[in-house]
């Protein structure tokens, strides 16, 4: 039986000050030279494969099988504690790399003892005891016991797998008996709210919770304008006999301060250009949230790779806190390739080339190309590669040039050219074909880290064909798009909102062949139910309207459709008003989505979702025409660059010709 701190307990049986000060104030638990700083063992792809089976028996190594068991006071197994012990055990992680002999195996087990006890302390089990045996022979701390266990392990060489068992007797769950927080009352702007420090008497004395409470309290003072706030002292006193802990913490909030001078260094991008993305003003109240938004703003410069924002450790003569922004550049040239697939809309492939810093001022040139296999709407179907025609493929080519920070201002120059060919629909609902070339020349003005306005001139030439006839249109006019984005991650947002509104005006007096005015508005919101964002509610709403020319004279690329990515379970752009049994597109749109994003493991997430959408004949958005409803379940494989998304959806009120289900595979969340 192995147990920590027995000599201390003998010296002072009822009450002693544990080494918890060191434990609670560091990011890892460290005792007698051993540390609990290891990461949990990695999961394979989607966490669905892999095995705990040891390697085959051999004459050169000792394969072993490690069984870990954690028992509560009433003799029941605690599966959560067992998982924590597996994560803390180097012997468990190294099962696929067996040692050469018994001595190497027992030394590996011996090295596990303190990390295992540390892990149980982290669960509030300060009286935990651990037994480690090799085929029933205890692995004891003395050399004689270790040698006996090693000899037993060696008897299994080239015969069978060595059986090892770790049994943890958890003992009682320690609870907080008293909780005290000392701080200067005049430094708490509104008194110390519960959200700033939620620990109370009777809570489990779990070390991770105690560390998190300290961080949370410091963050609260910093968010209220005290950038130098720190934990000055922590004292955790453990009463083993009473299975209780007395916890005391002293906070030094420091003075209120403002943002000081901002210094930018590093990277190959002109610092004057980077400065146009920094909206901090010297003397404004200090705010960690503003610094985080500043980092997000700078990250929009494609040439910038790493961004580190440092704060000075003392205030300047004006009582402000200087800020230092350290940058590293990304590789100047980048090439990418991606693919997506939907059982309804078919496969697609896309690639791009990007030069991120053409002239040293963060200028970006991006060339994109994509191709997809289109659905046929003429009543025929594919009969193999010999039956493919050029008209069966859709494509999009885009060239974009952005010059950020023109003349040292918060204005970016945008020049973009796009050409695309698409065909949408199916044999039952009909569809449309569209060929469009479009050019845009505009300026993006950044009001703040979150808000921007893009405005400029747009020229477009298009040819489209559907049940209403052929439309050849030239559109010349003004375009403007406003954006507001406070989300924390572009591909996997867990908090914040995104809002966008677009107004396009193509009057005949500017050379357009028709009068066309369109407006679109969209918004999405994300709310994490817990601090770790394991449970996130996500919602999206969008609406649009067209005015001016009759519907039959408007190019299909400007009419409103729903379906596909917007309403999963339906074909792309197949939710629409109909004429003669075929889709025509509408003059207005309403669509929305709701998701519950649940993180099951660090790499696996599940997402139940519900979508709806409708396009109407009227310019006023409404629900007079067919409304498509879709629902389904998504699987997310969470990677450092963003989630890989697999969605399975079904239309809840399908029409003739709609598929019973659809499968979508892509990168990033649905919205």
């Amino acid at each position: 039986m192995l147990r920590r701190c027995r000599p201390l307990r003998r010296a002072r049986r009822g009450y002693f000050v544990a080494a918890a000060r060191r434990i609670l104030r560091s990011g890892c638990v460290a005792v007698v030279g051993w540390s609990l700083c290891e990461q949990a063992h990695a999961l394979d792809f989607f966490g669905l494969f892999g095995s705990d089976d040891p390697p085959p028996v051999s004459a050169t190594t000792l394969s072993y099988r490690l069984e870990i068991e954690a028992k509560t006071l009433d003799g029941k197994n605690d599966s959560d504690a067992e998982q924590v012990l597996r994560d803390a055990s180097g012997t468990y992680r190294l099962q696929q790399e067996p040692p050469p002999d018994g001595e190497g195996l027992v030394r590996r087990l011996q090295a596990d003892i303190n990390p295992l006890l540390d892990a149980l302390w982290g669960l509030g089990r300060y009286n935990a005891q651990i037994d480690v045996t090799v085929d029933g022979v205890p692995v004891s701390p003395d050399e004689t016991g270790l040698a006996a266990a090693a000899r037993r392990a060696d008897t299994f060489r080239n015969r069978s797998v060595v059986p090892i068992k770790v049994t943890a007797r958890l003992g009682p769950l320690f609870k907080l008996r008293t909780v005290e927080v000392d701080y200067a009352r005049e430094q708490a702007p509104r008194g110390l709210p519960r959200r700033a420090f939620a620990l109370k008497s009777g809570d489990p004395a779990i070390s991770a919770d105690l560390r998190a409470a300290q961080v949370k309290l410091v963050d609260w003072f910093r968010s209220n304008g005290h950038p130098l706030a720190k934990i000055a002292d922590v004292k955790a006193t453990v009463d083993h006999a009473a299975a209780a802990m007395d916890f005391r913490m002293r906070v030094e909030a420091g003075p209120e301060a403002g943002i000081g001078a901002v210094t930018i260094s590093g990277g190959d991008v002109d610092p004057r250009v980077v400065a146009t993305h920094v909206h901090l003003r010297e003397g404004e109240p200090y705010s960690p949230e503003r610094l985080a938004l500043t980092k997000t703003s700078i990250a929009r410069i494609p040439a910038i790779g790493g961004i580190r924002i440092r704060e000075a450790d003392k205030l300047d003569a004006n009582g402000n806190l200087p800020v230092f922004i350290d940058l590293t550049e990304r590789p100047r040239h980048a090439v990418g390739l991606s693919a997506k697939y939907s059982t309804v809309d078919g496969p697609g492939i896309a690639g791009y080339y990007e030069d991120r810093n053409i002239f040293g001022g963060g200028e970006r040139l991006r060339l994109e190309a994509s191709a997809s296999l289109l659905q046929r709407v003429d009543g025929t179907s594919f009969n193999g590669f010999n039956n493919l025609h050029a008209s069966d493929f859709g494509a999009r080519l885009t060239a974009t040039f952005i010059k950020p920070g023109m003349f040292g201002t918060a204005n970016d120059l945008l020049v973009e050219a796009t050409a695309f060919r698409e065909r949408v629909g199916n044999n039952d609902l009909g569809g449309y074909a569209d060929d469009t070339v479009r050019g845009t020349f505009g300026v993006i003005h950044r009001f703040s880290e979150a808000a921007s306005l893009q405005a400029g001139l747009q020229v477009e030439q298009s040819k489209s064909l559907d049940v209403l006839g052929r439309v050849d249109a030239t559109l010349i006019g003004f375009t403007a798009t406003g954006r507001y984005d406070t989300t924390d991650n572009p591909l996997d947002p867990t908090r914040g909102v995104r809002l966008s509104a677009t107004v396009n005006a193509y009057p005949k007096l500017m050379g357009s062949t028709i009068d066309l005015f369109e407006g679109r508005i969209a918004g999405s919101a994300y709310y994490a139910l817990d601090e770790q964002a394991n449970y996130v509610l996500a919602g999206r709403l969008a609406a649009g309207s067209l005015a001016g020319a009759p519907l039959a004279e408007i190019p299909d690329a400007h009419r409103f459709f729903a379906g596909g990515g917007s309403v999963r379970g339906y074909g792309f752009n197949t939710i629409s008003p109909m004429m003669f049994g075929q889709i025509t597109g509408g003059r207005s749109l309403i669509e929305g989505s709701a998701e519950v994003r649940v993180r099951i493991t660090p790499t696996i997430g599940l997402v139940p979702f519900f979508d709806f959408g409708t396009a109407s004949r009227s310019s006023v958005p409404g629900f007079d025409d067919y409304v498509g409803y879709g629902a389904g379940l998504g699987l997310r494989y969470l990677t450092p660059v963003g989630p890989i998304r697999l969605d399975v959806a079904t239309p809840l009120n399908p029409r003739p010709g709609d598929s019973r289900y659809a499968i979508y595979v892509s990168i990033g969340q649905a919205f």
Side-chain angles (χ1 to χ4, degrees):
M1 179 176 65
L2 299 166
R3 183 175 186 161
R4 168 119 15 90
C5 301
R6 185 178 296 276
L8 283 174
R9 192 164 182 265
R10 285 182 183 142
R12 191 177 182 185
R13 297 185 60 86
Y15 224 106
F16 73 92
V17 177
R21 177 177 308 186
R22 176 183 59 213
I23 296 171
L24 299 173
R25 296 187 63 186
S26 65
C28 57
V29 180
V31 180
V32 199
W34 305 104
S35 64
L36 180 63
C37 300
E38 302 290 339
Q39 297 292 326
H41 55 279
L43 294 172
D44 54 89
F45 185 74
F46 281 108
L48 303 178
F49 307 105
S51 172
D52 287 337
D53 292 338
V57 173
S58 77
T60 57
T61 60
L62 283 180
S63 294
Y64 61 88
R65 186 186 304 277
L66 178 61
E67 178 186 355
I68 295 179
E69 187 178 71
K71 296 285 189 181
T72 59
L73 288 173
D74 57 5
K76 295 181 179 179
N77 284 68
D78 187 324
S79 59
D80 291 337
E82 289 171 353
Q83 184 59 54
V84 168
L85 290 172
R86 281 191 284 269
D87 291 342
S89 171
T91 306
Y92 181 82
R93 290 194 302 276
L94 295 173
Q95 282 186 106
Q96 301 303 318
E97 304 173 26
D101 52 34
E103 181 178 1
L105 180 57
V106 298
R107 294 296 178 188
R108 185 179 288 186
L109 290 167
Q110 183 187 36
D112 259 353
I113 301 304
N114 278 328
L116 293 177
L117 288 171
D118 287 339
L120 295 179
W121 277 32
L123 295 177
R125 306 284 184 170
Y126 297 95
N127 277 348
Q129 301 172 356
I130 291 180
D131 296 317
V132 182
T133 59
V134 175
D135 191 33
V137 177
V139 178
S140 56
D142 59 277
E143 291 298 322
T144 301
L146 292 175
R151 288 193 298 271
R152 178 59 64 89
D154 282 326
T155 64
F156 287 83
R157 181 180 300 279
N158 208 26
R159 183 168 64 88
S160 64
V161 174
V162 182
I164 301 172
K165 186 171 185 179
V166 173
T167 302
R169 286 178 277 173
L170 301 179
L173 175 62
F174 280 55
K175 296 188 176 181
L176 294 172
R177 182 165 53 191
T178 60
V179 179
E180 297 181 19
V181 180
D182 295 334
Y183 62 97
R185 296 303 192 266
E186 65 275 7
Q187 291 183 324
R190 294 176 297 276
L192 195 60
R194 179 157 183 76
R195 70 176 183 276
F197 190 81
L199 291 180
K200 63 184 185 302
S201 177
D203 288 345
I206 298 174
S207 62
D209 292 347
L210 302 183
R211 290 195 300 271
Q214 296 172 58
V215 172
K216 196 173 192 179
L217 186 57
V218 169
D219 287 346
W220 182 81
F221 274 103
R222 284 168 51 82
S223 296
N224 282 278
H226 297 266
L228 302 182
K230 65 180 181 179
I231 302 298
D233 188 37
V234 176
K235 181 178 291 185
T237 306
V238 178
D239 184 342
H240 280 266
M245 174 186 286
D246 296 320
F247 183 74
R248 182 174 181 178
M249 180 171 59
R250 183 166 60 86
V251 185
E252 291 182 0
E256 285 192 76
I259 297 291
V262 178
T263 303
I264 301 171
S265 62
D268 289 338
V269 179
D270 188 340
R272 293 172 296 182
V273 173
V274 178
T276 66
H277 285 71
V278 178
H279 300 274
L280 301 172
R281 297 294 178 264
E282 189 168 352
E284 72 173 88
Y286 171 84
S287 167
E289 291 78 11
R290 292 277 285 136
L291 295 181
L293 286 173
T294 296
K295 187 173 182 179
T296 301
S297 178
I298 297 174
R300 295 193 178 101
I301 303 175
I304 301 297
I307 306 168
R308 181 189 178 200
I309 296 183
R310 296 182 292 114
E311 302 173 13
D313 55 9
K314 61 181 180 180
L315 305 182
D316 61 20
N318 297 319
N320 297 323
L321 187 74
V323 174
F324 304 92
I325 300 176
D326 302 326
L327 307 174
T328 57
E329 68 277 3
R330 299 170 72 186
R332 176 174 166 179
H333 303 281
V335 178
L337 186 68
S338 64
K340 65 178 181 178
Y341 178 75
S342 164
T343 56
V344 174
D345 302 313
I349 188 171
Y352 73 89
Y353 164 77
E354 188 172 85
D355 188 327
R356 296 166 170 153
N357 197 19
I358 300 178
F359 307 118
E363 301 86 358
R364 182 187 72 166
L365 174 65
R366 183 180 176 94
L367 306 177
E368 298 177 84
S370 63
S372 58
L373 188 61
L374 304 174
Q375 296 287 336
R376 289 185 174 179
V377 296
D378 59 1
T380 64
S381 59
F382 299 116
N383 295 316
F385 289 102
N386 293 332
N387 190 34
L388 284 176
H389 308 296
S391 60
D392 292 327
F393 294 92
R396 178 179 291 265
L397 302 173
T398 302
T400 305
F401 174 79
I402 295 180
K403 163 61 181 170
M406 289 192 304
F407 312 114
T409 67
N411 297 302
D412 304 337
L413 174 66
L414 169 68
V415 181
E416 185 173 79
T418 299
F420 61 87
R421 181 181 186 278
E422 63 183 11
R423 185 173 65 231
V424 174
N426 59 44
N427 288 330
D428 294 283
L429 300 174
Y432 67 85
D434 184 84
D435 297 306
T436 297
V437 178
R438 180 183 299 149
T440 303
F441 181 89
V443 174
I444 304 171
H445 177 72
R446 291 173 273 106
F447 296 96
S448 67
E449 300 92 344
S452 65
L453 175 65
Q454 175 184 322
L457 180 68
Q458 193 167 86
V459 179
E460 177 182 307
Q461 180 69 50
S462 67
K463 297 179 180 180
S464 60
L465 178 66
D466 61 15
V467 68
L468 297 180
R470 176 167 177 153
V471 177
D472 293 342
T474 299
L475 299 178
I476 303 173
F478 296 104
T479 177
T481 300
R483 294 183 177 88
Y484 181 77
D485 188 343
T486 63
T487 56
D488 55 352
N489 187 309
L491 289 178
D492 190 14
T494 62
R495 295 175 174 86
V497 297
R498 286 177 181 160
L499 302 174
S500 66
T502 297
V503 176
N504 296 328
Y506 307 103
K508 285 184 177 180
L509 60 86
M510 292 188 66
S512 298
T513 55
I514 59 173
D515 283 316
L516 180 61
F517 306 93
E518 58 183 342
R520 300 170 186 259
I521 186 169
S524 57
Y526 311 88
Y527 181 76
L529 298 178
D530 61 312
E531 291 188 16
Q532 294 75 31
N534 292 324
Y535 302 90
V536 177
L537 302 180
R540 178 186 67 92
L541 284 174
S545 178
L546 293 175
L551 184 67
E553 297 179 13
I554 299 175
D556 286 288
H558 289 267
R559 300 179 195 174
F560 289 110
F561 301 83
S566 61
V567 185
R568 285 161 284 186
Y570 293 84
F572 176 70
N573 277 8
T574 59
I575 297 177
S576 155
M578 303 184 72
M579 180 176 290
F580 308 119
Q582 297 191 39
I583 59 175
T584 63
R587 300 179 69 89
S588 64
L589 172 78
I590 298 178
E591 60 186 19
S593 300
E595 294 187 347
V596 181
R597 300 172 182 174
V598 181
R599 188 185 297 262
I600 305 299
T601 74
T603 57
I604 302 298
L606 290 178
V607 181
F609 58 83
F610 171 79
D611 301 334
F612 75 90
T614 180
S616 302
R617 295 176 176 86
S618 169
S619 294
V620 179
F623 296 92
D624 296 333
D625 287 273
Y626 173 77
V627 182
Y629 299 95
L633 183 65
L635 180 67
R636 304 290 184 267
Y637 180 59
L638 308 171
T639 74
V641 296
I644 298 175
R645 176 167 67 99
L646 171 65
D647 285 341
V648 180
T650 183
L652 300 181
N653 56 330
R655 305 154 300 180
D658 286 328
S659 298
R660 295 177 58 189
Y661 66 91
I663 299 175
Y664 305 87
V665 180
S666 64
I667 295 178
Q669 297 285 6
F671 59 89

